[in-house]
Amino acid sequence: MTGKLRICLLFAIPVLISVKAGAQGSINDTIRVGVISANGQDVPLIFLPEFVFNTPSLDPEDRKKREKLRNDIFVVYPYAITAAAILKNVNANLDQLDSRKERKRYLKSIDKTLDQAFKDPLKNLSIDQGHVLIKLIDRQTGQNCYSIIKELKGGFSAMLWQSVGVFFNNNLTRDYDPEGDDREMEAFVRDLEASNAYRYQLYQQDQMLKKIAKHK
């Protein structure tokens, strides 16, 4: 029960008891309370015990890290939801291709399109933002980046990129864990999705998808 709700109940209960007692007409059931007059009306005056509410404080360094994580999520979230939309579309198109040659040609064209559309913007991301993006792609697609690379470009490419990821202290095979290691990130993402800023994220996704379509 919150502090505000508790205070409201502490005010309301004596008033309700007093009203009930007045209706019964018995002075023995009446609880006498002090009153104060405000704007011509008598308001029950009740003294409550002191209520102290303490919030856990963060040291400046932890606060700075949290704010940085929140900002990194805001920056890379549009890329993550765009990646999810692209992967869904690619998988749907692959299902319609029968031969291995056709699938390979299609994936090669997609790879070229994505490279033209995203190479420069992604180069401007920091290493930390890259880490966040990899986690959010897993969150949005349900697949870690290693499995996506393996599916679309083959096992050798996946191993290569995993090696690069390890070099930059980033494990592409690690799954997103909203209840564990990524709990704080998940809370920030949900706050973003529930805020007005989410509409801007969707707008950015729409612009990216239009950019991809233009490069096809």
Side-chain angles (χ1 to χ4, degrees):
M1 183 183 295
T2 65
K4 288 184 178 180
L5 180 57
R6 186 182 293 110
I7 291 173
C8 289
L9 290 175
L10 289 173
F11 271 107
I13 291 173
V15 175
L16 292 174
I17 292 175
S18 178
V19 171
K20 182 178 180 181
Q24 293 174 344
S26 171
I27 61 173
N28 294 325
D29 294 332
T30 301
I31 298 177
R32 298 183 180 275
V33 297
V35 297
I36 57 174
S37 296
N39 299 323
Q41 293 185 334
D42 292 336
V43 180
L45 176 62
I46 303 172
F47 292 97
L48 300 175
E50 182 180 1
F51 177 78
V52 179
F53 180 74
N54 293 320
T55 57
S57 58
L58 295 174
D59 63 62
E61 190 63 28
D62 286 340
R63 189 182 302 277
K64 184 178 180 180
K65 288 180 180 179
R66 285 172 58 88
E67 288 304 314
K68 186 179 184 304
L69 176 59
R70 187 192 297 272
N71 180 71
D72 288 344
I73 290 171
F74 186 86
V75 171
V76 305
Y77 184 83
Y79 292 104
I81 57 178
T82 301
I86 293 170
L87 183 63
K88 181 179 179 180
N89 184 59
V90 167
N91 285 332
N93 290 333
L94 285 175
D95 289 339
Q96 298 177 5
L97 300 177
D98 296 326
S99 70
R100 182 177 180 181
K101 186 176 181 180
E102 288 178 323
R103 292 166 63 91
K104 187 175 181 180
R105 184 186 302 117
Y106 171 70
L107 290 175
K108 187 175 181 180
S109 68
I110 288 294
D111 187 48
K112 183 178 180 180
T113 298
L114 296 180
D115 183 68
Q116 291 175 339
F118 290 116
K119 184 177 181 179
D120 290 337
L122 291 177
K123 281 169 59 177
N124 293 326
L125 296 181
S126 68
I127 291 178
D128 287 342
Q129 288 170 342
H131 291 179
V132 173
L133 176 58
I134 286 172
K135 291 182 179 181
L136 292 186
I137 288 176
D138 187 346
R139 179 185 188 270
Q140 297 303 127
T141 64
Q143 294 179 256
N144 61 55
C145 282
Y146 179 87
S147 65
I148 293 174
I149 294 171
K150 184 177 180 180
E151 178 181 340
L152 300 182
K153 302 195 69 173
F156 178 76
S157 293
M159 290 172 59
L160 177 64
W161 283 107
Q162 170 62 10
S163 299
V164 173
V166 170
F167 180 77
F168 287 103
N169 193 29
N170 201 342
N171 186 353
L172 302 183
T173 64
R174 193 179 74 80
D175 293 324
Y176 184 74
D177 184 8
E179 302 296 330
D181 293 339
D182 303 313
R183 183 172 57 252
E184 186 174 59
M185 182 181 295
E186 178 68 16
F188 284 148
V189 174
R190 291 190 179 186
D191 285 345
L192 173 60
E193 292 174 339
S195 70
N196 291 330
Y198 184 56
R199 296 176 61 183
Y200 179 64
Q201 305 288 316
L202 295 178
Y203 167 78
Q204 288 182 293
Q205 179 199 36
D206 182 62
Q207 294 302 304
M208 290 180 193
L209 292 175
K210 287 180 179 178
K211 188 175 181 180
I212 293 171
K214 189 182 297 184
H215 282 89
K216 286 184 178 180

